[in-house]
Amino acid sequence: MSTYDDRPWLALYPPDVEGELRQRHETMLAVWRAAVVARGEAPCLHAFDTTLTYAEVDTLTDAFAVALQVGGLQSGDRVGVYLQNDPQWPVALIGTWKAGGIAVALNPMLKTRELTDHLNDSGVTVLVCLESLYADVVQHVLPDVPVRRVITTHPADWLDQDTPQHVRHSVGEKAQVAGAEDLRDVVGRFTGRKPEAVDCGRDTVAILTYTSGTTGPPKGAMNTHGNMSYNAQVFAEWFDLGTDEVVLGVAPLFHITGIVAHMATAWYAACPLVLFHRFDAGEALRMIERWRATFVLGAITMYIAMMEHPDAAGHDLSSVSKCGSGGAPVSPATVERFEQITGIYIHNVYGLTETTSPSHLTPLGTHPPVDPRSGALSVGLPVPGCVSRITDVETGEELPVGEIGEIVIAGPMVVPGYWGKPEESRRAIRDDGLHTGDVGFMDEQGWFYIVDRAKDQINASGYKVWPRDVEDVLYRHPAVREAAVVGKPDPYRGETVKAYVSLVAGSAVQPDELIEFCRQDMAAYKYPREIEILSELPKTQTGKLLRRELRAREVQRASEPRPAG
């Protein structure tokens, strides 16, 4: 038995949370049906200013499931969901499960080549998409993919009022789409009918969520019904969520955070979920006040955007009592600044697509420790049923407490593998658990810390530099809004440390000042030799800073011929 097997973190658990979770529901269909029975006439979805009850959504999903079955969908067939955060997303998801299918979550930012790859890899035969995405992307890929049925929808299809102006500007008015069916018509034809019963167990794949994994091209993680229902219960019990909560859907629903921390958790708690098409800081603030949202979980960049929105002070955010951030590194300085401005503490969360969202959480009301060596904020404690350990990146041997290595995670939240990729699955998910590719350590109490991604390490003249070390120092400067550090190719040092930053609105600071700020607080080999200020740093739609895009920019610059003279 090792220290990790002894699970020292259990001593820090919330009083009502046990080390081993007794799973209440084995499938997401069971979670959904329990919510409908308990809360049929209660709100299920608040979409902008429209409300749909659990009973209404249940009727819509029954009709969609019948439409799929009548159309020939067989158990295990894949249904692609290529939408923004609209009511149609949960309707398509639950309806697919009721029909016996597997949903495939598709990022609405995917373009022609990327969508083609995802559809071919997953074997999607039915695709539900926005009308605007059909016109811009889908119609161009249909000859090259297995999709045989396309169902389109408009964001306003189930809204009581007109589409909000900022949404209408990007998606236009509803239109007839040649070569596709309309979702409202499809559901309307089968309203009142019940789908045929399907076999569904804890090991049945519920959804494919695409991830780059630890290495290589995107892969479809097979999140099972058991994975999802387990972590929905983890979220609900850890944050003490019940029917009186209101979940704000700030993360994209195609992402594992949106799928589990928003949809699955709201259904487990049988409470309403607030949706507003696509993240907009001003609309998020309005939705919190409008629906008295209580539980918010999203990337730290979303909190920064809300905190710096010019109307932030004019909105009542007092309803928010349970708040978390995951999906991107969280700086202690940013958490402190958000709490000073709003009075809300952001609890750190850690998880991956392959762990079906959370593997580590911070207890409610607890401020996790900051590592004095690196300045990194702890990502929390392993959740019930999860055993995390630190292993040597090269040998795989377990490392002692405090030593830095790869984080390996085992537990009922870990997916069985990647769709159609047995070799990739065996490489990432081994006998000892999921090899995350994240580098960190555990302290004696059981708090875990992320140092960085193994592939992001910078080698400057033989010295190893973790970008997070540098970024956390930069975040301490009052003018720095966001920071991303990369290795810049250097003919002498191999790589040199370069930082990209964006500034807090109204702030002014020169790169040399920031370099000196870092130099005073960091070893000589660590501090950035170059800093570039951008108005915005590149991010994914889920709010993660895109270091790889910045690295690619530096590689491209290094390959360009230098001007003569």
Side-chain angles (χ1 to χ4, degrees), residues 46-79:
H46 297 306
F48 290 109
D49 297 300
T50 298
T51 297
L52 295 172
T53 67
Y54 271 94
E56 288 171 330
V57 175
D58 195 48
T59 298
L60 292 171
T61 56
D62 275 348
F64 183 62
V66 173
L68 292 176
Q69 290 179 335
V70 169
L73 191 85
Q74 302 296 310
S75 288
D77 285 353
R78 274 75 68 205
V79 177

Side-chain angles (χ1 to χ4, degrees), residues 11 13 25 37 42 100 143 170 193 210 217 226 229 252 263 278 333 349 357 361 373 389 414 485 512 517 536:
Y13 266 26
H25 302 293
V37 169
S170 62
R193 290 180 55 178
Y210 274 82
S229 56
M263 290 190 288
R278 183 168 54 206
V349 176
S357 198
L361 292 171
R373 298 174 300 173
R389 57 189 83 239
V414 175
V485 171
D512 287 349
F517 179 81
E536 287 288 339

Side-chain angles (χ1 to χ4, degrees), residues 286-554:
R286 187 177 80 85
M287 291 292 98
I288 291 174
E289 184 173 32
R290 169 72 173 85
W291 295 113
R292 307 302 294 156
T294 61
F295 179 61
V296 184
L297 197 147
I300 195 65
T301 50
M302 296 178 181
Y303 291 107
I304 293 172
M306 287 191 284
M307 175 172 57
E308 297 191 348
H309 193 275
D311 295 337
H315 288 283
D316 179 4
L317 309 182
S318 61
S319 62
V320 178
S321 58
K322 299 161 184 180
C323 194
S325 180
V330 176
S331 159
T334 302
V335 172
E336 290 171 10
R337 188 154 62 95
F338 191 84
E339 187 174 23
Q340 289 170 358
I341 292 173
T342 66
I344 300 168
Y345 183 76
I346 303 170
H347 295 77
N348 217 352
V349 176
Y350 172 67
L352 300 93
T353 304
E354 294 93 334
T355 63
T356 320
S357 198
S359 60
H360 297 66
L361 292 171
T362 301
L364 197 63
T366 300
H367 290 206
V370 176
D371 174 44
R373 298 174 300 173
S374 64
L377 183 68
S378 170
V379 296
L381 312 170
V383 301
C386 174
V387 175
S388 294
R389 57 189 83 239
I390 305 296
T391 66
D392 187 280
V393 175
E394 299 297 331
T395 67
E397 293 182 4
E398 197 170 284
L399 296 175
V401 168
E403 290 198 21
I404 293 174
E406 183 178 22
I407 297 177
V408 177
I409 298 170
M413 68 291 299
V414 175
V415 299
Y418 300 112
W419 182 262
K421 291 182 170 57
E423 290 186 11
E424 295 277 11
S425 300
R426 285 191 292 270
R427 187 178 301 123
I429 304 162
R430 309 174 200 170
D431 291 341
D432 58 345
L434 169 71
H435 285 245
T436 66
D438 285 327
V439 175
F441 65 95
M442 184 188 80
D443 68 19
E444 291 183 354
Q445 288 186 299
W447 291 101
F448 277 73
Y449 302 79
I450 305 294
V451 175
D452 237 309
R453 292 288 290 173
K455 63 185 178 183
D456 287 339
Q457 187 183 68
I458 300 168
N459 189 336
S461 298
Y463 291 100
K464 304 300 190 293
V465 179
W466 296 108
R468 279 288 305 280
D469 283 355
V470 186
E471 290 165 2
D472 284 340
V473 171
L474 282 164
Y475 274 116
R476 295 176 201 162
H477 194 285
V480 172
R481 177 175 182 257
E482 295 170 338
V485 171
V486 298
K488 176 182 177 179
D490 185 291
Y492 175 68
R493 305 178 76 208
E495 288 183 303
T496 193
V497 180
K498 176 170 180 177
Y500 285 85
V501 302
S502 64
L503 302 181
V504 172
S507 297
V509 66
Q510 295 301 312
D512 287 349
E513 296 176 63
L514 292 175
I515 292 173
E516 179 61 21
F517 179 81
C518 292
R519 191 183 71 80
Q520 292 178 1
D521 203 29
M522 304 195 77
Y525 70 90
K526 279 187 182 182
Y527 74 85
R529 270 32 180 202
E530 184 179 339
I531 291 181
E532 187 171 335
I533 298 174
L534 303 178
S535 58
E536 287 288 339
L537 301 190
K539 305 179 190 70
T540 66
Q541 192 175 356
T542 60
K544 291 183 182 180
L545 293 171
L546 284 169
R547 282 190 194 146
R548 68 174 182 270
E549 190 170 306
L550 297 172
R551 278 197 301 268
R553 181 183 306 196
E554 293 303 326

Side-chain angles (χ1 to χ4, degrees), residues 191-323:
T191 297
R193 290 180 55 178
K194 295 285 186 182
E196 297 178 10
V198 296
D199 290 329
C200 181
R202 62 179 303 109
D203 297 326
T204 302
V205 178
I207 191 166
L208 302 183
T209 47
Y210 274 82
T211 172
S212 60
T214 54
T215 58
K219 301 176 286 290
M222 298 186 290
N223 303 102
T224 67
H225 278 269
N227 293 150
M228 284 185 65
S229 56
Y230 187 92
N231 264 359
Q233 186 171 344
V234 164
F235 266 130
E237 293 191 2
W238 192 274
F239 286 106
D240 192 24
L241 303 177
T243 56
D244 56 347
E245 307 288 345
V246 178
V247 177
L248 184 72
V250 291
L253 294 184
F254 73 82
H255 188 267
I256 198 64
T257 302
I259 293 165
V260 176
H262 297 349
M263 290 190 288
T265 298
W267 301 336
Y268 183 89
C271 68
L273 169 64
V274 180
L275 299 178
F276 48 103
H277 184 66
R278 183 168 54 206
F279 180 78
D280 174 88
E283 194 64 26
L285 293 167
R286 187 177 80 85
M287 291 292 98
I288 291 174
E289 184 173 32
R290 169 72 173 85
W291 295 113
R292 307 302 294 156
T294 61
F295 179 61
V296 184
L297 197 147
I300 195 65
T301 50
M302 296 178 181
Y303 291 107
I304 293 172
M306 287 191 284
M307 175 172 57
E308 297 191 348
H309 193 275
D311 295 337
H315 288 283
D316 179 4
L317 309 182
S318 61
S319 62
V320 178
S321 58
K322 299 161 184 180
C323 194

